[in-house]
Amino acid sequence: MSAVETATTVDAVAGDWQPTADELAGGLRTMLLLRRFEEEMQRLFLRGEIHGTVHLYIGQEAVSAGVCSALEAGDWVAATYRGHGAALAQGSDPEALAAELLGRRTGTCGGRAGSMNIVDLDHGLVGCFGIVGGSIAAATGAALGCRGGDRVAVAFFGDGATNQAYFHECLNFAKVLELPVLFVCENNLYGEFTPLAQSTAGADIAGRARVFDIPAARVDGNRWEVVAAAARAAVARMRAGEGPQFIEALTYRHLGHSKSDAGRYRPPEEVEAWLARDPIDQLRATLADDERADAIDAEVGGELTAAVERALAAPFPDPAVDRATEYAP
Amino acid sequence: MSAVETATTVDAVAGDWQPTADELAGGLRTMLLLRRFEEEMQRLFLRGEIHGTVHLYIGQEAVSAGVCSALEAGDWVAATYRGHGAALAQGSDPEALAAELLGRRTGTCGGRAGSMNIVDLDHGLVGCFGIVGGSIAAATGAALGCRGGDRVAVAFFGDGATNQAYFHECLNFAKVLELPVLFVCENNLYGEFTPLAQSTAGADIAGRARVFDIPAARVDGNRWEVVAAAARAAVARMRAGEGPQFIEALTYRHLGHSKSDAGRYRPPEEVEAWLARDPIDQLRATLADDERADAIDAEVGGELTAAVERALAAPFPDPAVDRATEYAP
Amino acid sequence: MSDTTFRKAICAALEEELERDERVLFFGEDVAAAGGVFAVTPGLYERFGPGRVFDTPISELALAGAAFGSAVVGKRPVFEVMFGDFLILAMDSLVNQAAKFWYISNEQAPVPLTVRCAVGAGGRFGAIHSQTPTPWLLGVPGIKIVAPSTPADAKGLLKSAIRDDNPVVVLEHKRLYSISGPEGDGTVPIGEANVVREGSDITIVAAMRGVHDALAAAETLAGDGIEAEVIDLRTLRPIDERTVLESVAKTNRVVMYDEGPELGGWARGLLGAVAERGLEDIDDSWVIASGELPIPYSPTLEDDFLPSAERLADEIRARVKAPARA
Amino acid sequence: MSDTTFRKAICAALEEELERDERVLFFGEDVAAAGGVFAVTPGLYERFGPGRVFDTPISELALAGAAFGSAVVGKRPVFEVMFGDFLILAMDSLVNQAAKFWYISNEQAPVPLTVRCAVGAGGRFGAIHSQTPTPWLLGVPGIKIVAPSTPADAKGLLKSAIRDDNPVVVLEHKRLYSISGPEGDGTVPIGEANVVREGSDITIVAAMRGVHDALAAAETLAGDGIEAEVIDLRTLRPIDERTVLESVAKTNRVVMYDEGPELGGWARGLLGAVAERGLEDIDDSWVIASGELPIPYSPTLEDDFLPSAERLADEIRARVKAPARA
Ligand SMILES: Cc1ncc(C[n+]2csc(CCOP(=O)(O)OP(=O)(O)O)c2C)c(N)n1
Ligand SMILES: Cc1ncc(C[n+]2csc(CCOP(=O)(O)OP(=O)(O)O)c2C)c(N)n1
Ligand SMILES: [Mg+2]
Ligand SMILES: [Mg+2]
């Protein structure tokens, strides 16, 4: 079974949420924001404005856009080094995010963090975590902090992360304590250059959750409304006190793993098949209102261009002024 | 379902090995050796001759005696801080083992290691590991060292260890590389004072292996011939190149977790029910030759008494003479 | 205040802080229903219930991660890692998550997290149950490490750790759990060393159980007419260089006394700091630590491996009697 | 021998050792088919096949554990941990298994294991992809840490590490991968520092990229009439105190220059060792390291955070011109 076939023969989704046209348009807006933002960042990286490395999310937008649409203020999200999508889906300011990647004083973290380590507590982002699997722990902990209330936490992580210590220990821990944490595995079929099946014994990621008695849905991660429905159902169960939930979202990154990767390890047919399943195209088709879609795209594009310009105009932090302290007072 | 019921409604064992009377007698001899040794050590501990702490194996003898009976010279075993059983089942010298616990120069490790950290490479014991889960890594590594030959490695570990990072990462690693390692979980229903179900989500230990596509058998760990048959079948599959195997052996420690634990967290009925399933009594019953069994017991007892006497007479290491070096030359 | 034991002082600190601030949580392996394998925390579970005090699976990395995440969202978690040796399994979360968050988040929120663990050798527990994790964590900016030597400091420093807005590792030396002393009734400030004995001839710097050895050695030396000043560091990161420098300025001789190892331990680094900032004050300076080996099990080997009050007194006697540097 | 790059020298060492000894294995995340994320190991998989060179899951703890177990039974595993920052996930196996085995087994077998990892800051990789794991491992008896600064040393030390019968951590500074230099043609002994520039006025001790800063500072200072001796430590555990002491006996001044942090790093501890063994030789001594913070991302912050050749030269100029201690 090819990867695309796999992605389309997923579990039926628990939950019967039917989005309105406005909701679909809202989802499309978020996804376009994520897409256009990343395209801008890619350009800036190639121009040498962004330093170090950058991991782009293009192609996977439906996952965080879908999941975060099911959350409320006060809920928490932990994401990965590939985390711009989750940050924006949580409402993080694109200008500040761009400024952070550009290393500017006005960045989300004052330029201290950079792309891989963004934190934005005001928008419920506990953090982006550079250690594969680290997000799983952060969200588990946030959920421990939420126990007894009705707030929930979400961990985003990749398929490769399911082979990490954090994955196993935290899923077990969360279930033993019945913590309200939603584990969202963005299965994009590769960890860096290594195909899933070569690193992940059994290749049954949802099964790895089910063996802990954690309810797990395997869904088409390229369809916003499918992810959003699964997330709504999972979040409702968590708010009802049913403990941790799991979603495996099958998706694909359109580009390489990070800056320098041309992605040559992936068969061209595979890439093509997935490009044909672009989540934005699919949601446009569902919305079936090209005029509205184009208007949203134009609006998002305009806002972003302005935001990036402002970010580029912002000053770098001045070490003489950035009075950092080792310890919180 | 009570713990005892659980233990007796286990999977059918793959493999149709039928032990001869001599083989049964050999199994009984090993188990009696383990039992009498531990009883001696308990006495010595209470007399203050053994220092620090000691974790007794009494009640679980059928597991390592059964598994190790399926191994050959050149195979490797890694065990835990509760590892005297595995060491003796591998043929480690009881006198040296006793001397090690007594801290004597003639100990298996010259008195440097102590009860929790015994190593005896000459008898295929890669080590006893004081870190919960550490044995899993050591055996996985030994199996990596055996790849391509026909030697195999075995990891013994407890139910509590299945919540550790090592468990998950190493099972996946071993399956991805198809390493010849047999994972043996000695499920004695408690990790220290905590019952399995309170720490182990899903409580399905064998399932945690199966989700990695590792064949797993859940067996009655108090019946030597059952464990031995399962181990023989698993070892045969490994030698045939079928990769890692898993056995969950249900058993019970008769005593507390370690020296100072009176085991008050366990319901008396539960303890009683398990005492009634003593693995040595059961194997005696299967052998159905009391005279032979008594003779073995007497012989083992005599040998041990002499061994312990010699160990007690041995000198302590002299730090002026024990010329330790930080590095291997 | 009446006398108490080190372990009871710790339990009292936990109890008072759990009582005082409902954001405080306490968890670990067998700490709740069983009251801890070193019998340090009985009664807390019964008093505060499973929402505040609970047992966990044997998953040190998850414990640290859960503490980190809950701290970021407003709790004040305290967790126990049974033996300091096991802390190494939790280090990624401590070092790459908790210790960095305050800075890289641009100070959006602190990480008020406390880890307690039993540390130290001499109990015949062998190489994997006797280590002190100081060397692994000493070079981690953002972490604090406290290391009490008395019941009052154990209580006061733990209370300070719980109220501190940074990740704090609390080291509890196993061979101190049963000692007695005044309980103390407040917090003890993190980062301040304590001159526990005044003297003019040499400064002995120590921590935890080493302080008791140092005091014993000082008593012996007093019989020989040598007056040793003894400094109990109490905190190992950040380290109170000032108190040490002030003492060395007076005594002109200093010995750093630690359970070891020497390379990578606090003792040598502190001597380096003294050499940097107080070079002109030093006439003689050295480190006494353990051998550079794993900790042995056998009593004869372990006793020889560890530094001792006798060795400390002997070396000081030999060096202080020797002619001072011109 | 012709010039090569640091990364190619490493690959050559691996290739030669894989060729020379069939017990050598090499594995890690994306090191085989893809040739490594820093493009250090291309071609090895093609040449030696999946039985000797292979990719692994993202499971640092299992990698270290598998290396340990295979080493004990006779293999000579080399594994890569992509960034030194991730080594912390593997530390339990390195510290509680590999480093202790030789001693506690009573020397039944050695643990010939090598870990390679990319370390160091300055590449704008942020706080979790820029650390050097030295502080975490410096205080672990039984471990060796090597830290080359040139292609020849990278090759020679890696070859020595693979042939060494102990666990060796090989630190590869990211900002050295592309430098060129002679390839060298043998092993370089572990534990021996290298005097890379002679001088009589001050000793600069450095490692890895710091050596290049030290040499640059020495050139600048030569213009001011100050002759600095530069020592490339090359090994951080065990540390070659003798070479440093001999140099300080000659120059009477020493500065330890490290990417930092100061508390818990090798620099302060080495200064402590000099204060213990060579006190009478020191007229001035100090440490230059980074700030006690996580490593910042923004170029302005990171550049300010890290020590530099300029700062090194400036501080030396200011202190050496000052009147020497009486
Ligand atoms: C502990 C750790 N090991 C290795 C890495 C290097 N690394 C960064 S991303 C990555 C692949 C992760 O794959 P996956 O979890 O599938 O996420 P994806 O990148 O596909 O979104 C690796 C190995 C890391 N950051 N952390
Ligand atoms: C990493 C680690 N955490 C905690 C401990 C303390 N400890 C020793 S044995 C034990 C219980 C282990 O339970 P299980 O794996 O079921 O084995 P059993 O003792 O029942 O044989 C614990 C928590 C340890 N040795 N290592
Ligand atoms: Mg992936
Ligand atoms: Mg158990």
Side-chain angles (χ1 to χ4, degrees):
Chain A
M1 188 155 60
S2 81
V4 176
E5 281 171 303
T6 308
T8 49
T9 57
V10 293
D11 301 343
V13 172
D16 47 9
W17 179 66
Q18 292 297 339
T20 64
D22 281 354
E23 284 168 328
L24 288 173
L28 184 63
R29 190 181 204 292
T30 306
M31 286 170 67
L32 283 166
L33 175 67
L34 272 54
R35 175 72 54 95
R36 302 297 168 237
F37 181 86
E38 297 271 278
E39 289 167 349
E40 288 282 352
M41 294 309 111
Q42 195 184 17
R43 270 191 289 277
L44 291 172
F45 188 84
L46 295 174
R47 268 170 48 194
E49 299 275 0
I50 293 177
H51 312 275
T53 189
V54 105
H55 301 77
L56 296 175
Y57 192 63
I58 294 177
Q60 304 185 198
E61 294 89 347
V63 185
S64 57
V67 169
C68 295
S69 78
L71 302 181
E72 297 171 4
D75 293 333
W76 296 105
V77 162
T80 70
Y81 47 86
R82 196 184 302 290
H84 312 153
L88 293 170
Q90 279 291 92
S92 206
D93 175 17
E95 180 186 332
L97 201 59
E100 184 64 31
L101 272 63
L102 291 163
R104 305 309 164 100
R105 201 172 70 195
T106 54
T108 321
C109 300
R112 292 180 181 180
S115 166
M116 293 196 273
N117 308 309
I118 312 278
V119 177
D120 187 359
L121 294 182
D122 284 346
H123 294 95
L125 184 69
V126 178
C128 296
F129 292 88
I131 293 289
V132 167
S135 58
I136 303 173
T140 300
L144 174 61
C146 296
R147 208 158 55 140
D150 59 9
R151 301 273 59 91
V152 304
V154 176
F156 291 103
F157 54 91
D159 46 293
T162 64
N163 298 320
Q164 261 289 344
Y166 275 120
F167 176 85
H168 179 78
E169 288 199 1
C170 291
L171 262 67
N172 183 65
F173 187 93
K175 184 61 188 173
V176 164
L177 291 167
E178 294 291 0
L179 302 180
V181 51
L182 171 59
F183 299 105
V184 179
C185 179
E186 305 200 46
N187 181 355
N188 62 9
L189 308 171
Y190 291 83
E192 287 192 347
F193 320 137
T194 304
L196 174 70
Q198 278 173 37
S199 64
T200 310
D204 178 10
I205 290 174
R208 291 182 178 196
R210 287 192 195 109
V211 79
F212 296 114
D213 266 357
I214 297 176
R218 189 164 193 259
V219 307
D220 183 344
N222 275 22
R223 292 190 46 221
W224 179 86
E225 66 278 22
V226 169
V227 175
R232 275 169 175 70
V235 167
R237 288 193 296 270
M238 291 195 291
R239 298 210 208 275
E242 294 179 35
Q245 308 289 321
F246 195 97
I247 293 175
E248 176 186 352
L250 281 145
T251 185
Y252 204 73
R253 58 170 154 75
H254 288 179
L255 304 171
H257 167 71
S258 66
K259 54 157 192 182
S260 50
D261 166 26
R264 266 183 237 108
Y265 44 90
R266 307 194 300 189
E269 320 79 67
E270 181 184 289
V271 178
E272 239 162 75
W274 279 95
L275 289 178
R277 303 188 64 257
D278 184 302
I280 293 183
D281 292 349
Q282 293 197 76
L283 187 52
R284 279 185 70 116
T286 309
L287 179 63
D289 182 344
D290 273 350
E291 212 172 313
R292 188 166 181 186
D294 288 341
I296 295 173
D297 202 352
E299 191 186 282
V300 164
E303 282 170 22
L304 265 179
T305 310
V308 167
E309 254 167 50
R310 286 192 302 270
L312 274 166
F316 283 93
D318 177 351
V321 173
D322 181 288
R323 291 188 309 275
T325 55
E326 178 177 358
Y327 299 112
Chain B
M1 188 154 62
S2 82
V4 176
E5 281 171 304
T6 308
T8 48
T9 57
V10 293
D11 302 342
V13 172
D16 47 8
W17 178 66
Q18 292 297 340
T20 63
D22 281 355
E23 285 167 328
L24 289 173
L28 184 63
R29 191 181 204 290
T30 306
M31 288 170 66
L32 283 166
L33 175 67
L34 271 55
R35 175 71 54 93
R36 302 297 168 237
F37 181 85
E38 297 272 277
E39 289 168 349
E40 288 282 353
M41 294 309 111
Q42 195 184 17
R43 269 191 289 275
L44 291 172
F45 189 85
L46 295 174
R47 267 171 47 194
E49 298 275 359
I50 294 178
H51 314 275
T53 187
V54 106
H55 301 77
L56 296 175
Y57 192 63
I58 293 175
Q60 305 185 197
E61 293 89 348
V63 185
S64 57
V67 169
C68 295
S69 77
L71 302 180
E72 295 170 6
D75 294 333
W76 296 105
V77 162
T80 71
Y81 47 86
R82 196 183 302 290
H84 312 153
L88 293 171
Q90 280 290 94
S92 206
D93 175 18
E95 181 186 333
L97 200 61
E100 184 64 30
L101 272 64
L102 291 163
R104 305 308 164 101
R105 201 171 70 196
T106 53
T108 321
C109 300
R112 293 181 180 179
S115 166
M116 291 197 273
N117 306 309
I118 311 279
V119 177
D120 187 358
L121 295 181
D122 284 346
H123 294 95
L125 184 70
V126 178
C128 296
F129 292 87
I131 294 290
V132 167
S135 58
I136 302 173
T140 299
L144 174 61
C146 296
R147 208 159 55 139
D150 59 11
R151 301 272 62 90
V152 304
V154 176
F156 291 103
F157 53 92
D159 46 295
T162 65
N163 298 321
Q164 260 289 343
Y166 275 119
F167 176 84
H168 180 77
E169 289 200 359
C170 291
L171 261 68
N172 183 65
F173 187 93
K175 183 62 188 173
V176 164
L177 292 167
E178 296 290 2
L179 302 180
V181 50
L182 171 60
F183 299 104
V184 180
C185 178
E186 306 200 46
N187 181 355
N188 62 11
L189 308 171
Y190 291 83
E192 288 191 346
F193 319 137
T194 304
L196 176 69
Q198 278 174 38
S199 65
T200 310
D204 178 9
I205 290 174
R208 291 183 177 195
R210 288 191 195 111
V211 80
F212 295 114
D213 267 357
I214 297 176
R218 189 163 192 261
V219 306
D220 183 343
N222 275 21
R223 292 191 43 222
W224 179 85
E225 66 278 22
V226 169
V227 175
R232 274 168 175 71
V235 168
R237 288 193 295 271
M238 292 196 289
R239 298 210 208 275
E242 295 180 34
Q245 309 289 323
F246 194 97
I247 293 174
E248 177 186 352
L250 282 146
T251 184
Y252 204 73
R253 57 171 157 72
H254 288 179
L255 305 172
H257 167 72
S258 65
K259 53 157 193 182
S260 50
D261 165 27
R264 264 181 239 110
Y265 44 89
R266 307 194 300 189
E269 320 78 69
E270 181 185 287
V271 178
E272 237 161 79
W274 279 96
L275 290 177
R277 304 188 63 257
D278 184 303
I280 294 182
D281 292 349
Q282 294 196 75
L283 188 52
R284 279 184 72 116
T286 308
L287 179 63
D289 183 345
D290 273 351
E291 212 172 310
R292 189 165 180 184
D294 288 342
I296 293 173
D297 203 352
E299 191 185 280
V300 164
E303 282 170 23
L304 266 179
T305 309
V308 167
E309 254 167 50
R310 286 191 304 268
L312 275 167
F316 282 93
D318 177 351
V321 171
D322 181 287
R323 291 187 308 278
T325 55
E326 178 178 356
Y327 298 113
Chain C
M1 271 250 167
S2 61
D3 271 15
T4 187
T5 62
F6 197 84
R7 62 159 55 76
K8 280 196 186 142
I10 292 165
C11 193
L14 282 166
E15 185 167 5
E16 288 172 23
E17 296 304 307
L18 280 159
E19 178 69 39
R20 189 181 157 269
D21 184 342
E22 64 176 23
R23 297 169 303 173
V24 176
L25 305 175
F26 175 55
F27 53 96
E29 298 160 18
D30 288 315
V31 299
V37 298
F38 291 101
V40 174
T41 57
L44 299 176
Y45 172 70
E46 290 74 10
R47 167 128 187 233
F48 297 99
R52 307 276 311 281
V53 176
F54 51 91
D55 289 318
T56 71
I58 310 172
S59 308
E60 283 78 8
L61 185 62
L63 260 66
F68 161 69
S70 68
V72 167
V73 305
K75 296 293 180 185
R76 306 189 76 85
V78 183
F79 69 104
E80 172 180 305
V81 167
M82 199 181 288
F83 285 75
D85 312 68
F86 315 156
L87 198 63
I88 204 159
L89 286 157
M91 270 183 65
D92 181 65
S93 180
L94 278 180
V95 172
N96 282 329
Q97 302 194 316
K100 303 211 178 353
F101 189 84
W102 166 250
Y103 176 77
I104 62 175
S105 75
N106 207 22
E107 306 174 12
Q108 290 178 45
V111 183
L113 160 173
T114 302
V115 204
R116 297 176 40 238
C117 51
V119 306
R124 320 308 186 203
F125 283 103
I128 328 280
H129 286 71
S130 302
Q131 296 165 93
T132 301
T134 314
W136 312 331
L137 292 167
L138 196 63
V140 180
I143 293 235
K144 297 186 180 181
I145 308 173
V146 301
S149 72
T150 66
D153 281 354
K155 183 174 175 191
L157 285 168
L158 178 53
K159 285 170 75 89
S160 292
I162 297 171
R163 297 186 198 179
D164 196 288
D165 262 348
N166 298 279
V168 184
V169 180
V170 181
L171 307 178
E172 302 171 3
H173 200 292
K174 292 178 203 80
R175 288 197 293 155
L176 294 177
Y177 276 135
S178 299
I179 66 163
S180 289
E183 179 166 332
D185 55 1
T187 60
V188 168
I190 295 178
E192 292 186 16
N194 196 11
V195 179
V196 291
R197 185 183 196 281
E198 301 212 357
S200 53
D201 297 323
I202 183 161
T203 302
I204 307 174
V205 184
M208 299 189 279
R209 194 156 190 294
V211 174
H212 300 268
D213 287 351
L215 288 170
E219 284 314 305
T220 311
L221 289 165
D224 301 314
I226 297 172
E227 287 303 330
E229 180 140 311
V230 177
I231 295 181
D232 179 353
L233 284 172
R234 300 202 292 195
T235 299
L236 299 175
R237 181 176 185 102
I239 206 153
D240 182 356
E241 291 168 24
R242 208 172 49 136
T243 299
V244 175
L245 286 166
E246 280 169 10
S247 176
V248 176
K250 183 172 76 173
T251 63
N252 303 126
R253 289 187 187 84
V254 61
V255 55
M256 308 290 175
Y257 180 82
D258 182 24
E259 232 182 73
E262 189 164 349
L263 179 51
W266 63 260
R268 256 205 189 172
L270 185 55
L271 182 50
V274 174
E276 173 162 355
R277 281 166 212 154
L279 185 65
E280 61 285 358
D281 290 327
I282 323 176
D283 288 330
D284 194 14
S285 63
W286 77 107
V287 170
I288 297 182
S290 68
E292 303 287 297
L293 289 176
I295 298 157
Y297 161 69
S298 178
T300 54
L301 297 178
E302 191 179 36
D303 288 344
D304 178 70
F305 172 83
L306 292 173
S308 64
E310 293 69 41
R311 184 176 147 201
L312 179 59
D314 288 348
E315 290 199 15
I316 291 174
R317 200 181 295 106
R319 292 174 81 130
V320 171
K321 288 236 170 108
R325 190 175 165 234
Chain D
M1 272 250 166
S2 61
D3 270 17
T4 188
T5 61
F6 197 84
R7 62 158 57 75
K8 280 196 185 141
I10 292 165
C11 192
L14 282 166
E15 187 169 2
E16 289 173 22
E17 296 304 308
L18 280 158
E19 178 69 40
R20 189 179 156 270
D21 185 342
E22 63 176 23
R23 294 169 304 172
V24 176
L25 305 175
F26 175 54
F27 53 95
E29 296 160 19
D30 288 316
V31 299
V37 298
F38 291 101
V40 174
T41 56
L44 299 177
Y45 172 69
E46 291 74 9
R47 169 133 186 228
F48 297 100
R52 306 277 308 283
V53 175
F54 51 91
D55 289 318
T56 70
I58 310 172
S59 307
E60 283 78 9
L61 185 61
L63 260 66
F68 161 68
S70 69
V72 167
V73 305
K75 297 291 179 187
R76 306 190 78 83
V78 184
F79 68 105
E80 172 179 303
V81 167
M82 199 181 287
F83 286 75
D85 312 69
F86 315 156
L87 199 62
I88 204 159
L89 286 156
M91 270 181 66
D92 181 66
S93 179
L94 277 179
V95 172
N96 282 329
Q97 300 193 319
K100 300 209 178 0
F101 189 83
W102 166 251
Y103 176 77
I104 62 175
S105 75
N106 206 21
E107 306 173 13
Q108 290 178 44
V111 183
L113 161 172
T114 302
V115 204
R116 297 175 40 238
C117 52
V119 306
R124 322 307 187 202
F125 284 104
I128 329 280
H129 286 72
S130 302
Q131 296 164 95
T132 301
T134 314
W136 310 334
L137 292 167
L138 197 63
V140 180
I143 292 234
K144 297 185 180 181
I145 308 174
V146 301
S149 71
T150 66
D153 281 355
K155 184 175 173 189
L157 285 168
L158 178 53
K159 285 171 75 88
S160 293
I162 297 172
R163 297 186 198 179
D164 197 288
D165 263 346
N166 298 279
V168 184
V169 180
V170 180
L171 307 179
E172 301 172 2
H173 200 291
K174 292 177 203 79
R175 288 198 294 154
L176 294 176
Y177 276 136
S178 300
I179 66 163
S180 289
E183 180 167 331
D185 54 0
T187 59
V188 168
I190 296 177
E192 291 187 15
N194 195 12
V195 179
V196 291
R197 185 185 195 281
E198 301 211 358
S200 52
D201 297 323
I202 183 161
T203 301
I204 308 174
V205 184
M208 299 189 279
R209 194 156 190 295
V211 175
H212 301 267
D213 288 352
L215 288 170
E219 282 315 305
T220 311
L221 290 166
D224 300 315
I226 297 173
E227 289 302 331
E229 180 141 311
V230 177
I231 295 181
D232 179 354
L233 284 172
R234 301 201 292 193
T235 299
L236 300 175
R237 182 176 185 102
I239 208 153
D240 182 356
E241 291 168 24
R242 208 172 49 136
T243 298
V244 176
L245 287 166
E246 280 169 9
S247 176
V248 176
K250 184 171 76 172
T251 63
N252 302 127
R253 288 186 188 85
V254 61
V255 54
M256 308 290 174
Y257 180 82
D258 182 25
E259 235 182 71
E262 190 163 348
L263 179 51
W266 62 259
R268 256 205 189 171
L270 185 56
L271 182 50
V274 174
E276 173 161 354
R277 280 165 213 155
L279 185 65
E280 63 285 358
D281 292 326
I282 323 176
D283 288 331
D284 195 14
S285 63
W286 76 107
V287 169
I288 296 182
S290 68
E292 303 286 297
L293 289 175
I295 297 158
Y297 162 69
S298 178
T300 52
L301 297 178
E302 190 178 35
D303 289 344
D304 178 70
F305 172 82
L306 291 173
S308 64
E310 294 68 43
R311 184 176 148 202
L312 179 56
D314 289 348
E315 291 198 16
I316 290 174
R317 202 181 294 108
R319 292 174 80 132
V320 172
K321 287 238 170 106
R325 190 175 166 235

